[in-house]
Amino acid sequence: MNTNRIDATLSPGDKDEVLAAIATIKQKLPFLTDLSPEERRALPKMGDKSRAFVSKAAEVAAQNPDFLPRSFDVDEMRRDLALFETLQPIAVALTQLQELVDDTLLAAGNEAYAAALVVYNYAKTSGQGAALDAVADELSRRFARKASAATPQAQ
């Protein structure tokens, strides 16, 4: 038996407010970068181990700028590190929110689909003579299989 996990609605006004809040987030983060899949794969990632390495390197660079090339911008390195550290908790919160939205979307879709199957099955079995034959036939198209192309025989 299916469990009803979702019993909620989202008013058009609330939906608009959520979308406006997302637009505000984008507006507050105008520097967000859109990388291609190839760029994403090619860039080295900074995880927990690398974070300590980068912090230490930033300290070394700040305290000993003379050994670095003149073109090296220590302040830019510090700003990049500060931005990374500031964005990290935002990324965690957004990831958690995305997971909740994805799970809710999955559960709501599952419940709607399961209810549609019940309607379809009753229309098929109990709807005969109740002018539901055409509707049941239309609903059955969801389950129609396409005929596979005949495999050419080797000569």
Side-chain angles (χ1 to χ4, degrees):
M1 186 78 192
N2 289 338
T3 303
N4 188 15
R5 295 176 182 229
I6 302 297
D7 186 10
T9 59
L10 182 63
S11 72
D14 285 347
K15 179 186 105 179
D16 291 344
E17 287 184 30
V18 169
L19 292 173
I22 292 169
T24 299
I25 291 169
K26 288 180 179 179
Q27 180 185 9
K28 295 292 182 181
L29 304 172
F31 48 81
L32 292 178
T33 304
D34 185 16
L35 300 174
S36 71
E38 295 80 26
E39 290 172 317
R40 206 173 288 118
R41 277 191 296 272
L43 291 175
K45 315 306 184 276
M46 185 161 84
D48 290 337
K49 292 179 185 177
S50 299
R51 197 171 180 177
F53 169 78
V54 172
S55 293
K56 182 59 96 176
E59 287 177 31
V60 170
Q63 292 175 10
N64 303 287
D66 297 338
F67 78 92
L68 295 168
R70 284 189 217 170
S71 62
F72 188 87
D73 190 342
V74 175
D75 290 333
E76 176 63 24
M77 180 182 186
R78 284 180 165 168
R79 285 191 301 274
D80 289 341
L81 179 58
L83 180 60
F84 178 87
E85 290 175 349
T86 302
L87 285 175
Q88 190 68 31
I90 294 170
V92 169
L94 289 173
T95 299
Q96 290 172 343
L97 179 61
Q98 179 69 51
E99 287 178 11
L100 288 169
V101 170
D102 287 346
D103 289 350
T104 304
L105 190 63
L106 180 64
N110 169 265
E111 289 179 14
Y113 185 71
L117 288 174
V118 169
V119 169
Y120 170 63
N121 285 325
Y122 275 99
K124 257 186 358 183
T125 59
S126 303
Q128 295 174 344
L132 293 178
D133 291 339
V135 173
D137 185 49
E138 187 177 332
L139 291 173
S140 72
R141 292 183 193 150
R142 159 61 180 90
F143 302 103
R145 293 185 179 214
K146 293 181 181 178
S148 61
T151 307
Q153 302 231 348
Q155 294 180 358

